[in-house]
Amino acid sequence: MSRTRVLLVGAAGETGGSIANGLLENPIFEVYALVRPRSVQKPAIVSLQERGVQVRRCDLRGSEESLAEALTDIDIVISCVGPAEQQDQIPLAKAAKKAGVKRFVPCGFITVAPPGGIMWLRDEKETVYNHIKQLWLPYTIVDVGWWYQLSYPRLESGRADYAMTTANNEIVGDGNTRTALTDLRDIGRYIARIIVDDRTLNRMVFAYDTVLTQNQIYDMLEEISEEKVQRNYIPEETVYTRVLAARQSSETYPFDPVKFIPRYLAEYQLSWGIRGDNNPEYAKYLGYLDAKELYPDFRPTDFRQYLETVVRGTAKGIYTDRTISRAQQREFPRTESSDSLYTRIFPRAESSDSLYMSR
């Protein structure tokens, strides 16, 4: 029986790495990675090759012909590019159509939100989705809950610091807004099922593990750690003020990913923290299929058990292999409590190679 050939764009990033893991665990897949020629010898790429991932060399911003050649005989393309590279998926999609790719999974993988002015990042992705549909290219869009790895606050003792990106000590609004959560490691396990499921072809899927409020997360961490966590509530008015200021600032410059960071932060807080977009009920209203209903036998990582590993000191951190540039530290100090959003959508990489390693 022939295996399904899947090509990943962004296989060395956090989301891409989870997907690579999920595919490599299943023998039905033959896994490829699209890699810039100059990046082939990077440790992360070499590590993927040692695990059985085959490399196809091509620059995402190369010609449509070179991209189509790189996609020869590929059944499924999965893209995990960064926020600044969303539009680069359009020539990739055209090349996929030309190469006869059977399913294209664009870079979704964010929390649920409606298009049309709530989140700039969502609207950038929707532009890509519309082009895919205009091409009549078979697709599946997958969005996920807020990562477990970014959902909990810092413990005063510092016991959890080793696994944390930042202090993450803001509670948006009253802290009682329900939001879906997904363990980063489960994304790849979901994808391995979704991309070979006929029911998900030309559909949107919401892949999440559990639904909790920020107050519930704090309560659970306090119970497990036996430490009191200070609760820093950010009122709704402050979030709207941040959104307005960030939008005005970002629109006064030519596009620059760094200048859009405050906008990403504020709009995420508006969407999942104030509006409550990121939940299964709203996802269904928007037309998503629910991964829990599609795969009732799927056993997601338990959130409480995950927090227990954090407190015990055995959890794995994210973005631990990257360093933020000093210039960015000066402009956006890492003492900003909402900085956890920053590192999810604009990882700590100093070079422009974030194109293939940014999520």
Side-chain angles (χ1 to χ4, degrees):
M1 181 177 176
S2 61
R3 296 196 292 170
T4 300
R5 297 185 180 92
V6 183
L7 181 138
L8 287 172
V9 180
E14 298 292 347
T15 298
S18 174
I19 294 173
N21 290 338
L23 298 179
L24 289 169
E25 290 170 1
N26 193 321
I28 73 169
F29 296 114
E30 190 172 318
V31 186
Y32 296 79
L34 189 70
V35 179
R36 285 193 186 94
R38 71 170 183 267
S39 300
V40 171
Q41 297 305 317
K42 289 192 172 184
I45 302 302
V46 172
S47 177
L48 287 170
Q49 290 178 282
E50 291 173 346
R51 296 174 58 205
V53 175
Q54 302 178 55
V55 166
R56 293 203 172 176
R57 306 183 184 198
C58 187
D59 195 309
L60 191 57
R61 294 177 178 174
S63 68
E64 187 177 316
E65 290 72 21
S66 64
L67 284 168
E69 183 178 351
L71 300 184
T72 300
D73 298 326
I74 293 296
D75 298 307
I76 300 169
V77 171
I78 303 176
S79 173
C80 301
V81 300
E85 287 81 38
Q86 294 302 305
Q87 301 297 319
D88 293 339
Q89 295 177 94
I90 292 174
L92 180 66
K94 291 179 180 178
K97 178 71 174 182
K98 182 176 293 186
V101 168
K102 298 173 184 176
R103 188 182 306 222
F104 189 94
V105 182
C107 185
F109 308 116
I110 63 171
T111 56
V112 170
I118 303 300
M119 292 177 62
W120 178 85
L121 183 57
R122 163 64 60 185
D123 293 343
E124 282 289 284
K125 292 175 183 290
E126 293 285 343
T127 298
V128 176
Y129 303 162
N130 288 338
H131 276 274
I132 290 169
K133 294 171 184 177
Q134 290 170 9
L135 292 169
W136 207 336
L137 176 65
Y139 70 90
T140 301
I141 295 164
V142 181
D143 280 322
V144 300
W146 194 245
W147 292 356
Y148 281 14
Q149 288 76 5
L150 295 173
S151 65
Y152 59 92
R154 182 179 184 273
L155 293 172
E156 188 63 31
S157 66
R159 281 191 287 169
D161 288 1
Y162 75 97
M164 298 191 70
T165 303
T166 65
N168 193 31
N169 65 347
E170 283 188 350
I171 296 181
V172 182
D174 62 7
N176 292 321
T177 301
R178 298 170 65 251
T179 191
L181 302 170
T182 305
D183 191 303
L184 171 62
R185 298 166 296 180
D186 286 342
I187 295 175
R189 296 174 57 219
Y190 276 119
I191 287 294
R193 293 194 178 201
I194 291 169
I195 62 174
V196 291
D197 188 342
D198 290 340
R199 296 173 296 174
T200 65
L201 191 62
N202 302 328
R203 300 295 300 275
M204 300 186 298
V205 182
F206 188 34
Y208 66 99
D209 291 346
T210 191
V211 181
L212 293 169
T213 68
Q214 285 188 282
N215 283 328
Q216 288 174 325
I217 293 170
Y218 274 58
D219 290 343
M220 195 180 299
L221 184 60
E222 287 180 339
E223 180 184 344
I224 294 169
S225 67
E226 299 182 339
E227 291 186 38
K228 188 68 177 176
V229 181
Q230 182 178 350
R231 306 199 180 199
N232 178 27
Y233 292 93
I234 305 301
E236 180 174 331
E237 294 77 13
T238 299
V239 174
Y240 277 105
T241 298
R242 288 175 176 178
V243 168
L244 180 60
R247 287 175 177 174
Q248 291 174 340
S249 176
S250 63
E251 289 170 0
T252 61
Y253 299 97
F255 180 79
D256 180 341
V258 173
K259 294 186 175 71
F260 271 74
I261 292 167
R263 184 167 184 170
Y264 298 148
L265 309 185
E267 291 180 341
Y268 261 117
Q269 289 187 327
L270 169 63
S271 177
W272 63 255
I274 301 299
R275 288 175 45 86
D277 296 330
N278 184 42
N279 68 75
E281 293 78 17
Y282 191 56
K284 284 186 179 181
Y285 169 77
L286 293 176
Y288 287 82
L289 299 175
D290 189 312
K292 285 188 175 296
E293 296 177 0
L294 290 173
Y295 315 111
D297 61 325
F298 184 93
R299 298 188 64 180
T301 303
D302 181 79
F303 184 72
R304 183 183 182 90
Q305 291 177 359
Y306 169 73
L307 284 186
E308 289 172 349
T309 65
V310 171
V311 174
R312 284 200 308 267
T314 59
K316 182 181 182 297
I318 57 174
Y319 302 124
T320 56
D321 60 336
R322 307 180 193 182
T323 57
I324 187 170
S325 71
R326 289 190 176 90
Q328 290 176 20
Q329 286 184 38
R330 287 193 299 269
E331 188 164 359
F332 300 101
R334 296 185 59 76
T335 54
E336 286 290 330
S337 54
S338 57
D339 195 32
S340 59
L341 295 165
Y342 165 94
T343 40
R344 176 176 181 187
I345 53 185
F346 196 81
R348 296 177 286 170
E350 291 189 357
S351 74
S352 58
D353 280 346
S354 61
L355 179 61
Y356 292 114
M357 302 177 63
S358 54
R359 287 190 60 82

